[in-house]
Amino acid sequence: MSGYVIRRKVGEQPLWQHGSPLLGRLDIELTERCDNDCVHCCICLPEHDEDARRREMSTAELQAVLTQAAALGALSVRFTGGEPLIRDDFEELYLFARRLGLKVMLFTNARGVTPEIADLLARVPPLELVEVSVYGMSAQTCESATRCRGSYEEFRRGVELLLERGVRFVVKGALLPGLAGEVAEFEAWAATLPAMDKPPGYSMFFDLRGRREGGGSAAEPPAVGCDVERRNETIRRARLSPADGVRFLTRDRERYLKDMREFCSKFMRPPGDKLFSCGAGHGACVDAYGAVQACLPLRAPQTTVSLRGGSGGGGEGGSAAEPPAAASAAFDTARLRYALTEAFPRLRETRATNPEYLRRCAVCFLKGLCEQCPAKSWAESGTLDTPVEYLCEVAHEQARDLRLLEPGERAWEIEDWKVRVERI
Amino acid sequence: MSIALEDVYKPSEDVVAREIEGEIIIVPLVAGIGDMEDELFTLNDTGKAIWDKLDGQRSLADVVTALSPKFAAEDGTIQRDVLALVAALVARKLLTRA
């Protein structure tokens, strides 16, 4: 008799018999502001940046976005930031989303987890694991990353509240010098957390800030409160060297090689001149100011669709993605559908024109190892198709470690790459 | 708990039922319904047809009557299906008595 009602795990079985919905999940950046000031972060604006706060989507606008996401068939929404918990209306938005039948994935540093929020997450569970970012296992290491006194205490208290209330969460680390010296301690602690069924993931090859100086419109305001160049310099200093990064990735060599054999057999090939070979644009993200993006890091104004209307990207060449009728300044969530059905499919057809990209990236078989993508190119150079040297070096370091390349070889010059991939 | 034909049932306020691409997706709202992340409930075609009639107004007997013209089933089959589905939904806390 239980065949009438079927318990389903999303992802394990196809949910849809008659075609999948237009939108599976919506990512929403509730704010760019954060109560931390992490050295490696490509987003965070100061918590009390009043200008940023004023420009953020209102509660009503966010509720309209959530309603539209549900209408387009989304099963889940990711609340990220900045730090989503610093919004005064977080609980209201969370409950609104859950009452729409959306599961909520929450990315947080846990500092803002109060007893009330922990109770709420326990009573009305998000149905997705909360993801908590960890910057250190002591006040000294954590706060050398967050640059906020007291942040470690608050993080530990937040995590304790989640544990006490039985809210299931996973942790992930930012591989900065502090945490890098505490990996064993971090992973031992992580293994004690009920929802951790594998070792934590790490961010380590940090992105530069995706909002570029001078880019500005209603949907893509200039980064007030954040000196872009200064922040990018700080991020560059926080990055691991390619050699150190690869050393960390290969610390469990046997497991790494096993994973890479499988991975490389599937994903190593030259990408050609089509810029989007990832999932960007198959779903959607909405930034704190109502710009619909093809993926979270891709801030290039010409690739976004503003829910607030206006002339779109502006400032940096205008927006090719905007619908022609977007002249009014009214907040219109129908533009989310437009982004998914018209602007993003068009965007995904974009081809590289930069000769350097065509000479190197388009014919490079390390695509599977390399994080080069339009978003990262935009953050580094202000175009969608400029090779990112740091990521190129990281990929080559990894390839040399895997014996895919000999010292001095450049991957885009290798003709027998298929044979080399098979040899791993 | 026994399920009787004269009883009236409605979707629990502790779940949200959504129709997406022709599928009924029942999403738990409060703790204690789905056990894990990523857990949802769907209904098969028979279940969906019955669910649509469980509006807190009709008795289960009315639901059987309303479904009879739609399904060319043997005598008693629809009634058995309705009672079985309601029992399954009640057991999972997806349905409550109105």
Side-chain angles (χ1 to χ4, degrees), chain B residues 3-24:
Chain B
I3 311 284
L5 281 171
E6 62 270 23
D7 292 340
V8 178
Y9 284 86
K10 63 177 183 179
S12 165
E13 290 175 1
D14 293 338
V15 301
V16 180
R18 302 177 57 193
E19 183 161 358
I20 304 173
E21 297 295 328
E23 304 282 340
I24 298 287

Side-chain angles (χ1 to χ4, degrees), chain A residues 321-401:
Chain A
E322 284 296 316
S328 87
F331 192 85
D332 181 3
T333 57
R335 292 188 187 115
L336 181 54
R337 176 185 285 275
Y338 167 82
L340 288 162
T341 56
E342 295 187 49
F344 292 166
R346 208 163 51 231
L347 176 68
R348 288 186 56 79
E349 294 303 314
T350 309
R351 292 180 185 273
T353 56
N354 179 345
E356 190 63 2
Y357 183 98
L358 294 171
R359 184 179 72 83
R360 292 167 49 180
C361 305
V363 293
C364 178
F365 77 100
L366 299 185
K367 176 61 188 164
L369 294 178
C370 185
E371 292 185 27
Q372 168 81 32
C373 72
K376 303 203 180 196
S377 170
W378 174 259
E380 301 264 341
S381 64
T383 76
L384 301 180
D385 59 356
T386 301
V388 177
E389 297 303 335
Y390 174 64
L391 299 178
C392 184
E393 288 168 21
V394 170
H396 275 74
E397 186 71 30
Q398 241 182 310
R400 283 190 291 273
D401 177 78

